[in-house]
Structures are given as C-alpha cells and as structure tokens.
Amino acid sequence: MYISDTTDDSTLKNLDEAKILVVSDSHFQKENLYSAITRHGKECNALIFLGDGIEDLAEIMEEEFFLKETDRTIPENIFFVKGNGDSARLNLCFEGETIREVTPVKTITVSGKKLMITHGHTFEIFCLDYVQKNEENSKLTVINPPKFNFYTDTEVYFQYLKKNHIDGGFFGHTHVPFFKEQSGIFLINPGSISRPRKNSKKSYAVFTVKKHSPSLTLEFFTLDS
C-alpha cells in the first residue's frame, strides 16, 4: 500500500494506461466510501480522495492493511487532500503511529498526465501570482487576487492549470458531480459519496487515462446503481 505525498516513488507516472477511483466528501459515513472501494478498488491503479472524510479513509486503510494482500480491495496507490472538515494531521496507526501532514493541494503524475487535486474550499493556491513583496519589511501582500468559488465558477481553476501546464484538475466540496473539458484541460468533481446536493445522488467517479493519448474515459457511479 503506497500512501503518496509526492509522485517521486509512484509507479503511476510511467504506466501506459491507468484507471483511477475518485471519491470525495464521505463525512463520517465510512461504509459509503468502503462501498465504492469494494466495487471498483481491485480494478483501479489508484484512489484519489478529495477531502472531508480522511478519517474514514484512514480507518479503511488500517483495516485493509491487516488483510492478506490478495484480499485487499483498496488500490495500491492512495492520494488524499485536506477538506474544510478535516484535520491538518492524520495519525496512521498501521504505519507505526506515523503522523502525516495533510495538505490542501497536491500535484501528481499519472500515465504521463500531470494532475492537480484539491478539495475546493480554499483559494490561496490560486493567488500565488498575485503576491507582492514589500522590500522594506519583507511582508507579503496579495494584490487583487481572483475572486471565485467552485459553486459558481471554474474558469480561474482552468486558467491556473493552463498556466502551470497541468493536464487536469479535481475538486470536491460542492457535493455535485461535474465534468468539463476546455482547451484540452479537464475538470472533474465526483460529487459526494454521502451528502449529495442539487438533486444529485451519492456518487463517485472512475476515470482512465493513456500515456500517449489526449483523451480520457470517465464514468460516474451512484451507490444505488
């Protein structure tokens, strides 16, 4: 089981093709998250969890860790980010009481595609180009940062990905499934596995990327499907 903070040790970046399970916002309903993992985990190369429920994920990882490798359903590679309802530190008991810092954003490489994952509740990551340093006191000030939120606007996210040569972005937080492709860059929100909004259902996604192809395959699933 490879719990990644970076992609340096991940085998995913060199795969010709990779299938990824994407889940978000379990909100202490571990059984819902486990249901998605049980259904699709063995066929996927990695799991991306987009926050608000990392304690659920930690409990599942611990349970799976003590199973025989052939009995595990969770993908071998696991990536997760901090949501607004998550702690910034996670105690992974099965790793010998390891304390891990949980960051709000992470960039990974899968089958040659650079991907950015974030929960979607904090926008500081998109303001780095708007920071100005005062030479007298070295204080940093954000000058006219972009104002947006993922509930109503994704254009700033698209522009950030384009400027930083990132092929795709993922976010949660809104609890509504979402997909959009623009200028060869894609955005995916799997929806919430536990608390859907706007007449959506409890959902998650599975996507497949190929190293030498710009196209991707994306499927949304619901717990009752």
Side-chain angles (χ1 to χ4, degrees):
M1 190 182 298
Y2 175 64
I3 305 166
S4 177
D5 292 317
T6 67
T7 57
D8 292 343
D9 299 322
S10 174
T11 59
L12 291 174
K13 58 185 176 182
N14 296 319
L15 291 179
D16 289 333
E17 180 177 320
K19 180 177 284 190
I20 312 296
L21 173 62
V22 188
V23 191
S24 189
D25 293 276
S26 57
H27 288 281
F28 300 104
Q29 295 185 43
K30 182 182 74 173
E31 66 279 3
N32 292 344
L33 176 57
Y34 217 162
S35 179
I37 291 173
T38 301
R39 289 183 186 183
H40 297 280
K42 282 197 171 184
E43 69 188 62
C44 291
N45 302 99
L47 166 66
I48 291 176
F49 186 75
L50 296 167
D52 274 4
I54 57 172
E55 290 186 4
D56 301 328
L57 177 61
E59 290 182 15
I60 292 171
M61 288 192 292
E62 183 172 359
E63 292 174 17
E64 291 269 315
F65 181 82
F66 291 105
L67 294 176
K68 293 181 180 179
E69 191 168 334
T70 54
D71 294 333
R72 293 176 185 172
T73 57
I74 199 165
E76 181 65 21
N77 298 278
I78 303 168
F79 305 92
F80 53 83
V81 288
K82 179 185 179 300
N84 53 294
D86 294 323
S87 170
R89 306 181 77 190
L90 186 63
N91 188 359
L92 299 178
C93 298
F94 60 89
E95 286 197 330
E97 301 296 332
T98 298
I99 303 294
R100 284 186 179 245
E101 298 293 329
V102 186
T103 61
V105 61
K106 189 172 293 182
T107 303
I108 64 177
T109 303
V110 178
S111 295
K113 303 292 190 298
K114 194 174 181 182
L115 309 174
M116 181 175 177
I117 61 177
T118 187
H119 181 63
H121 66 295
T122 179
F123 311 119
E124 287 86 350
I125 54 175
F126 302 105
C127 297
L128 298 180
D129 296 332
Y130 300 83
V131 173
Q132 187 176 85
K133 185 176 182 180
N134 188 312
E135 297 299 334
E136 293 182 2
N137 55 23
S138 297
K139 290 184 66 175
L140 300 179
T141 305
V142 178
I143 306 298
N144 297 322
K147 295 181 179 180
F148 81 108
N149 65 72
F150 283 116
Y151 291 101
T152 59
D153 183 25
T154 56
E155 185 60 29
V156 172
Y157 199 179
F158 269 118
Q159 293 304 318
Y160 182 92
L161 298 175
K162 182 178 180 180
K163 183 172 183 177
N164 291 277
H165 307 289
I166 300 174
D167 299 290
F170 298 81
F171 66 99
H173 190 55
T174 67
H175 296 209
V176 179
F178 176 87
F179 172 75
K180 185 176 180 180
E181 191 168 8
Q182 179 176 301
S183 301
I185 298 171
F186 62 86
L187 287 185
I188 296 173
N189 185 328
S192 171
I193 196 72
S194 296
R195 298 179 182 177
R197 294 173 182 161
K198 293 189 176 181
N199 297 317
S200 63
K201 296 182 178 181
K202 298 175 181 178
S203 63
Y204 58 97
V206 174
F207 82 102
T208 304
V209 290
K210 296 181 179 180
K211 193 170 186 178
H212 302 293
S213 173
S215 63
L216 62 91
T217 301
L218 173 67
E219 293 182 88
F220 287 98
F221 296 91
T222 61
L223 284 187
D224 56 3
S225 62

